[in-house]
Amino acid sequence: MRWINTRPGRGAQLTLLLLPFVLLIAAYSAGSVARLAENPSDKLLPNLAGFADAINRMAFLPDPRTGEYLLWSDTVASLIRLFAGLGISTVMALVLGMAIGMLPYLRALLSPFVAVISMVPPLALLPILFIIMGLGDASKIALIVIGVAPTMVRDLALKALELPREQIIKAETLGGSSWQIALRVVLPQILPRLITCLRLQLGPAWLFLIAAEAISSDSGLGYRIFLVRRYLSMDIIFPYVVWITLLAVVTNYILDRVRIAVFPWSELEKQA
Amino acid sequence: MSELIIENVWKEYGDQIVLENVSLTIASRAFVALVGPSGCGKTTFLRMLLGQERPTRGTILLDGQPIPTEPGRDRGVVFQRYSVFPHLTVLGNVLLGKEFSNARYKAKLFGAARRNAVEEARKLIGEVGLSGAEQKYPAQLSGGMQQRLALAQALIMKPKVLLLDEPFGALDPGIRAEIHTLMKRLWHETQMTVVMVTHDIREAFTLASRVVAFERRRDRPEEKQRYGATITKDISIWPPRLAGVPSKFSPDRDGPIDSLGYSRDDPALSGE
């Protein structure tokens, strides 16, 4: 049988799914054991007990100085910034993307501009943002928006343009005005794409958030990682990285579920 | 009344002449089939009737008025593909026209207005044989059912003219025969003017009251650019067919029934 036609069974699929994770953990454990055997106070690759201790300290014991549970207060601070940034980007993408996709005049006006703006490296703008908007949350949210919104706007504009011309014509023959067609034909059809687009932008959004937090902040997951870096606290950094990854993976999964639940037809179309 | 008068229409794209000097008068309640080789401008001609494109020269009149330069509710259309909205159920698709015309800003109906519209839509869905599929999405329907849906969707607007762009071209022969029967019945019932582009000569002669052939008079490679297609054959079907008028000569099963003064469930008919 050809390789392209051999498929794993259910059990094999699960094993294959877990294999890379298990290998990664095994490789880390082996490295940790080797280093700790040589020097028990080595900080570079802590063992499981070290992690458990650090997680307990960060998540379940109040900080002696502020009385806060640092992992949770960091998470809340970061998520507020992340979702504020993504929320603003989503609204911008929806309004601008649809306008560019549907209205030739606005397309002529904005499409090249957005294309150029999306090429500006957002991190290069970070100093400007800090100077103009101060070191608070506003500049961090602005960085996420600048980093994420142009791509989303372009993606949604393309999606709106991609809608078959026949559909728009058909809607016109049903007496729809531009507004009505936007509301009932274009908007519902690009919303699933908006969610997918949002999922794809989760990675960049976290990147910009952590970069901004690393440079200047007093709370947040990125802030904490870069703070404890000074003390080589790998026992805190690793759990934080895993936690951030987990947050991103869960958000990604939930967004996809939401798409399928709210727009059942978008899944049908994919299979058709 | 819905008489179409096409006078000396030319269509050029840059140097390329597609249609030259097309003149045609389509009587109210006629069913005109446009046939001809691929690329001879049949679809371009239909698009001009639709208002999607404008003739380079010449005029097109609907009931004595120049047709609007954009698609509108007086001219319904069914394309070969993408005629229905994938994000709406069967009922939602048929309802859309009603919602466009009755709810200017929300483009959605509620309460009693919605109930009335739903009732009308359900009747039409029954007419085209889709009863029971009201809550399905187009991706769950077969090709033939999708085209039936597209017809129902267009007919709820009661257009003066129905334009069909190879609507049944992608269907297999059995389904096509069924939908032909339906098409004939709908034409008689609604008594609208129909213009259909088709590749299928048999289909043209089965359905139409008049078959018009488009062809390039000069088709050598070096002439192709500067000579467009025009009407080369204009065949009226004998015996004449007209929407809503039973044929005297070969009353076929799809035609309207001659009133015999009693209804079909009259006991006298069954001999009881």
Side-chain angles (χ1 to χ4, degrees):
Chain A
M1 202 177 200
R2 288 183 191 81
W3 289 6
I4 52 171
N5 290 328
T6 52
R7 287 166 198 283
R10 226 163 220 283
Q13 200 147 25
L14 192 69
T15 317
L16 287 172
L17 182 144
L18 290 175
L19 191 64
F21 296 100
V22 172
L23 282 180
L24 188 67
I25 293 170
Y28 179 86
S29 308
S32 171
V33 166
R35 279 192 80 100
L36 288 173
E38 219 165 274
N39 172 12
S41 58
D42 177 73
K43 298 192 83 174
L44 217 57
L45 300 178
N47 59 13
L48 229 56
F51 284 141
D53 181 47
I55 292 170
N56 184 43
R57 212 165 358 106
M58 299 307 290
F60 303 112
L61 294 176
D63 181 53
R65 191 167 64 81
T66 59
E68 283 178 341
Y69 296 85
L70 288 179
L71 178 67
W72 308 120
S73 61
D74 284 341
T75 305
V76 169
S78 284
L79 285 185
I80 287 176
R81 293 168 191 150
L82 185 82
F83 287 130
L86 283 176
I88 295 171
S89 310
T90 304
V91 173
M92 281 177 65
L94 208 54
V95 174
L96 286 178
M98 265 178 71
I100 292 174
M102 287 186 71
L103 304 170
Y105 264 95
L106 275 181
R107 183 152 65 239
L109 177 73
L110 289 178
S111 183
F113 182 68
V114 174
V116 170
I117 289 295
S118 70
M119 292 299 156
V120 176
L123 283 178
L125 292 177
L126 190 54
I128 303 177
L129 293 177
F130 278 151
I131 292 167
I132 296 176
M133 311 181 85
L135 300 174
D137 281 354
S139 54
K140 299 177 186 69
I141 294 172
L143 180 71
I144 296 178
V145 172
I146 291 174
V148 166
T151 320
M152 289 179 75
V153 170
R154 290 181 82 190
D155 192 42
L156 282 198
L158 276 181
K159 183 68 196 172
L161 267 175
E162 259 174 33
L163 285 183
R165 191 76 203 140
E166 287 90 337
Q167 274 190 22
I168 307 294
I169 303 270
K170 178 89 185 199
E172 288 177 59
T173 63
L174 297 179
S177 65
S178 301
W179 166 251
Q180 288 176 322
I181 293 172
L183 198 64
R184 293 297 312 276
V185 178
V186 179
L187 179 67
Q189 291 200 68
I190 62 172
L191 280 180
R193 178 67 207 175
L194 177 71
I195 294 182
T196 306
C197 180
L198 200 55
R199 285 170 57 208
L200 294 175
Q201 292 303 318
L202 278 177
W206 273 104
L207 166 74
F208 296 126
L209 175 70
I210 288 173
E213 285 181 344
I215 293 171
S216 156
S217 186
D218 52 10
S219 64
L221 295 164
Y223 161 74
R224 193 68 53 195
I225 291 178
F226 277 79
L227 183 73
V228 301
R229 175 191 62 118
R230 298 174 194 165
Y231 318 113
L232 275 183
S233 291
M234 298 294 266
D235 53 344
I236 295 178
I237 296 180
F238 273 124
Y240 262 66
V241 171
V242 172
W243 176 238
I244 293 173
T245 313
L246 197 68
L247 286 176
V249 168
V250 169
T251 322
N252 182 41
Y253 179 78
I254 290 176
L255 283 174
D256 202 33
R257 288 284 119 188
V258 166
R259 177 181 65 81
I260 296 172
V262 182
F263 311 107
W265 56 270
S266 68
E267 201 61 12
L268 293 170
E269 281 294 301
K270 233 190 244 176
Q271 292 156 6
Chain B
M1 281 301 292
S2 45
E3 188 188 38
L4 275 167
I5 300 175
I6 296 105
E7 272 173 352
N8 307 323
V9 161
W10 294 64
K11 182 69 192 175
E12 299 166 21
Y13 293 107
D15 278 344
Q16 171 82 55
I17 297 178
V18 180
L19 288 171
E20 57 177 56
N21 209 16
V22 175
S23 295
L24 187 65
T25 299
I26 299 174
S28 186
R29 288 153 68 191
F31 192 134
V32 174
L34 305 177
V35 298
S38 295
C40 72
K42 305 184 295 279
T43 296
T44 306
F45 183 72
L46 199 78
R47 281 195 188 141
M48 289 194 294
L49 295 184
L50 190 55
Q52 193 183 347
E53 301 204 23
R54 281 177 227 188
T56 314
R57 266 173 280 166
T59 51
I60 303 178
L61 305 174
L62 174 58
D63 286 344
Q65 299 292 322
I67 58 159
T69 50
E70 59 176 6
R73 48 192 301 175
D74 51 346
R75 286 150 293 153
V77 70
V78 174
F79 297 105
Q80 184 172 7
R81 294 174 63 205
Y82 305 121
S83 269
V84 294
F85 301 105
H87 62 292
L88 295 174
T89 59
V90 167
L91 185 62
N93 263 295
V94 179
L95 221 47
L96 192 64
K98 281 275 149 198
E99 296 189 304
F100 277 160
S101 34
N102 296 339
R104 206 162 149 210
Y105 296 106
K106 277 179 272 180
K108 214 163 166 69
L109 294 173
F110 302 94
R114 184 180 160 83
R115 273 195 298 280
N116 291 338
V118 166
E119 199 178 308
E120 193 178 334
R122 279 187 192 278
K123 227 172 98 194
L124 207 50
I125 290 170
E127 287 272 300
V128 299
L130 284 178
S131 298
E134 283 93 345
Q135 297 308 325
K136 286 193 174 160
Y137 287 100
Q140 295 165 303
L141 303 178
S142 68
M145 288 163 92
Q146 287 189 21
Q147 292 310 80
R148 285 162 187 265
L149 173 58
L151 277 173
Q153 189 182 35
L155 291 182
I156 203 163
M157 299 306 292
K158 303 194 171 67
K160 287 182 180 175
V161 182
L162 182 65
L163 304 169
L164 307 171
D165 191 358
E166 295 183 41
F168 316 128
L171 308 179
D172 56 72
I175 305 288
R176 204 182 305 181
E178 263 175 44
I179 211 165
H180 283 169
T181 315
L182 171 69
M183 188 63 236
K184 253 190 189 175
R185 184 161 57 77
L186 291 175
W187 176 54
H188 283 303
E189 280 172 10
T190 56
Q191 307 196 356
M192 39 181 191
T193 309
V194 181
V195 181
M196 174 175 75
V197 166
T198 179
H199 269 125
D200 184 347
I201 303 284
R202 191 190 159 100
E203 175 172 272
F205 280 91
T206 311
L207 290 177
S209 61
R210 184 172 169 194
V211 177
V212 172
F214 279 69
E215 218 172 336
R216 289 168 186 278
R217 287 226 174 82
R218 294 158 181 262
D219 205 17
R220 295 212 312 263
E222 66 272 23
E223 293 171 334
K224 230 171 190 165
Q225 181 88 358
R226 296 303 294 162
Y227 292 91
T230 190
I231 295 175
T232 51
K233 292 269 180 351
D234 186 347
I235 304 160
S236 290
I237 304 295
W238 180 261
R241 297 169 178 161
L242 192 64
V245 180
S247 170
K248 290 278 178 276
F249 300 89
S250 60
D252 64 4
R253 135 186 105 85
D254 309 327
I257 303 156
D258 250 328
S259 178
L260 300 172
Y262 45 76
S263 60
R264 263 195 293 180
D265 55 353
D266 197 317
L269 265 182
S270 54
E272 283 176 35

